[in-house]
Amino acid sequence: MKRLSRPAPECRTPKFPVSQQAMEDAEAQDLADIRRAHVAAMLARVASDDRAALRELYDRTSAKLFGICMRICADQQGAEDVLQEVYIAVWNRAAGYDPERSSPITWLATIARNRAIDWRRSRQKIDAALPIDAASSVADAAIDAPDRIDEARLAARLRACLGTLDPRAERAIREAYYGGFSYADLAKRDAVPQGTMKSWIRRGLDRLRKCLTDGG
Amino acid sequence: MDPPQDDPDVLAAELALGLLEGSERAAALRLMLAAPAFARRVDAWRERLAPLDDVMPELAPPAGLWRLIERRLGGDSRTALVWWRAATAAATALAAALLAVIALRGPAPLPMPAGVPTPQLVAQLGAPQATALLAVYEDQAGNLIVRPAVVNARDRDAELWVIPKGGKPVSLGVIARDRPTHVALGARRGLLVRDAVLAVSLEPIGGSPTGQPTGPVVAQGTISTI
């Protein structure tokens, strides 16, 4: 599955490389586009009530989505229930997918995230035994580099930008993403007033946006 | 320095990250209704943050899970909508997603005051394409305001239904394609409660001829308290 034998270099600046690397990247980009188009095509078939296409989509994407559900639900049965809901929602709403607005994988992942967050909040499992610190450290280690070079570049850029934030903000943003935590949850976790947490994160998001969009 | 309180891009990030709860979340969702540009900001943040998922390990679900999904799609009588699905004709090129936010106290201003969240009822239909169709309940006026449905099929109309738990669908009318639709709820307000289902079906122009849904359901969701 993994196509990179080495992790993405830690401190490489996300500049476009040249020559051989550029050609390899271009090929990888083509591959990524093909994969993306493939998932989009599966979604289009699902939209026309093609049950076999849903099965293909499930085979291709369920491990990623189940990973998201497990991180946020922190409960095996809950994550399984949520995953069912996710694919039923996909079945019912595939016609609503707009490729102009998001990549198909992001669209699917957003459904999974939102469903899992709803599940968790409906159960008020704020202090669930989610190994959030473990999750953060996995992300920090980032040894499991993505198997797509364009994704690796985007991920490297995001990581680089996250690294420029106040560490408290960086940690909170990662935790919010991975664990589906709200401001209230995070403030409680860190035993700080919610306003303080909000201020850290809002500043961090502002900085992150500038870094990602301006390159600085 | 903190970004301005009303910085829409920061708000979009907060929504995309799932940081907001209760009335703040509802207010941000309302903003998606009012401002497509804001909805695009939320989409952009989702794409920006997506690489975070790529470094996380995947996790195969249990082997039997697909069967459960298939069974539920195949005719589980637990949902009131199965017969709609069964009535689904050939696929219609249609994109409709509905996000209904029913605020018990009407729209709240942005930013929300800190403190006890206002009780809200929420039904999310068709997320994350939440801007395609969205309903907001205005308590003062007793109206449900529904943003236009994105219906590509020219020979069909989108019709909104509320389905009481264990009951039959009650029509809330056809949703316009090009402008917000105001649904005067009147006595039907009482149907918009927790665990009721909001749904959108495709119907002949002008709405269902039978008073019950006849076409495919393209969006549905259960109303819940947030």
Side-chain angles (χ1 to χ4, degrees):
Chain A
M1 195 60 193
K2 301 292 171 206
R3 282 160 198 277
L4 291 183
S5 53
R6 289 172 294 131
E10 192 65 20
C11 16
R12 201 175 90 193
T13 50
K15 296 264 192 279
F16 285 100
V18 289
S19 67
Q20 185 66 27
Q21 182 66 52
M23 288 170 60
E24 285 173 14
D25 282 4
E27 281 170 23
Q29 182 61 52
D30 287 347
L31 261 180
D33 287 345
I34 290 167
R35 288 201 185 92
R36 180 179 165 135
H38 188 189
V39 177
M42 275 189 270
L43 269 179
R45 286 168 52 212
V46 172
S48 59
D49 280 3
D50 182 340
R51 186 72 63 87
L54 185 71
R55 175 66 202 255
E56 278 177 50
L57 189 70
Y58 179 86
D59 288 344
R60 179 146 192 143
T61 58
S62 59
K64 183 185 181 90
L65 300 191
F66 191 58
I68 292 171
C69 294
M70 273 299 285
R71 287 205 302 275
I72 294 175
C73 295
D75 178 284
Q76 177 81 25
Q77 188 58 52
E80 289 177 20
D81 291 348
V82 168
L83 192 70
Q84 289 183 48
E85 298 292 336
V86 168
Y87 283 95
I88 286 165
V90 168
W91 174 252
N92 288 323
R93 299 168 191 170
Y97 168 65
D98 179 356
E100 300 289 310
R101 288 190 50 184
S102 61
S103 85
I105 284 290
T106 304
W107 188 77
L108 294 167
T110 302
I111 293 177
R113 274 180 60 75
N114 288 346
R115 289 279 170 154
I117 287 173
D118 286 347
W119 182 90
R120 207 168 64 85
R121 291 188 185 162
S122 73
R123 271 154 195 76
Q124 312 261 308
K125 290 180 73 172
I126 288 167
D127 288 319
L130 179 70
I132 187 68
D133 291 320
S136 299
S137 59
V138 169
D140 288 340
I143 298 304
D144 278 333
D147 61 357
R148 288 160 49 172
I149 289 174
D150 65 318
E151 283 185 359
R153 185 186 289 134
L154 287 173
R157 181 170 181 119
L158 182 61
R159 280 167 51 72
C161 286
L162 279 168
T164 68
L165 308 185
D166 176 334
R168 294 171 303 193
E170 181 192 359
R171 178 167 171 267
I173 288 169
R174 282 184 188 278
E175 288 183 353
Y177 192 82
Y178 287 126
F181 290 106
S182 67
Y183 276 132
D185 299 335
L186 294 167
K188 194 172 166 194
R189 254 188 76 83
D190 281 11
V192 296
Q194 204 170 314
T196 305
M197 180 54 71
K198 213 165 180 168
S199 179
W200 290 347
I201 291 184
R202 289 177 58 87
R203 256 182 264 174
L205 290 170
D206 191 38
R207 169 101 195 99
L208 183 61
R209 170 192 50 187
K210 287 182 177 125
C211 178
L212 287 170
T213 56
D214 307 339
Chain B
M1 212 177 80
D2 283 9
Q5 272 300 307
D6 57 353
D7 184 328
D9 212 43
V10 172
L11 182 67
E14 290 175 315
L15 188 61
L17 269 172
L19 288 162
L20 304 177
E21 292 182 283
S23 56
E24 284 187 312
R25 185 184 187 202
L29 293 173
R30 278 195 293 272
L31 190 57
M32 287 182 83
L33 161 68
F38 177 71
R40 283 195 295 276
R41 288 178 193 274
V42 177
D43 286 338
W45 271 107
R46 285 176 179 149
E47 293 290 345
R48 277 175 204 150
L49 295 167
L52 286 172
D53 281 326
D54 296 329
V55 297
M56 296 303 277
E58 298 192 342
L59 192 60
L65 203 68
W66 167 255
R67 296 283 304 279
L68 296 176
I69 294 168
E70 203 168 31
R71 197 176 305 155
R72 287 177 63 179
L73 289 173
D76 181 340
S77 58
R78 273 182 307 167
T79 106
L81 294 160
V82 161
W83 57 276
W84 282 10
R85 209 60 230 185
T88 299
T92 311
L94 169 136
L98 168 63
L99 178 71
V101 179
I102 300 150
L104 290 180
R105 295 184 192 169
L110 276 173
M112 295 298 301
V116 182
T118 311
Q120 307 268 352
L121 290 177
V122 135
Q124 190 163 308
L125 295 81
Q129 301 280 337
T131 56
L133 182 59
L134 185 136
V136 178
Y137 179 66
E138 280 195 335
D139 206 25
Q140 297 89 337
N143 278 334
L144 189 69
I145 303 173
V146 187
R147 72 174 281 136
V150 181
V151 179
N152 294 329
R154 293 211 175 83
D155 57 344
R156 305 280 201 101
D157 269 343
E159 188 161 3
L160 181 68
W161 306 84
V162 58
I163 306 159
K165 198 169 187 181
K168 282 187 166 184
V170 175
S171 176
L172 296 177
V174 167
I175 305 160
R177 292 161 191 244
D178 53 352
R179 67 199 141 71
T181 304
H182 288 246
V183 181
L185 289 170
R188 293 174 301 185
R189 167 65 184 97
L191 299 173
L192 297 182
V193 294
R194 188 176 180 171
D195 288 335
V197 169
L198 280 179
V200 174
S201 68
L202 278 189
E203 299 296 338
I205 297 294
S208 165
T210 67
Q212 286 290 294
T214 62
V217 173
V218 294
Q220 70 176 78
T222 305
I223 298 175
S224 59
T225 311
I226 59 170

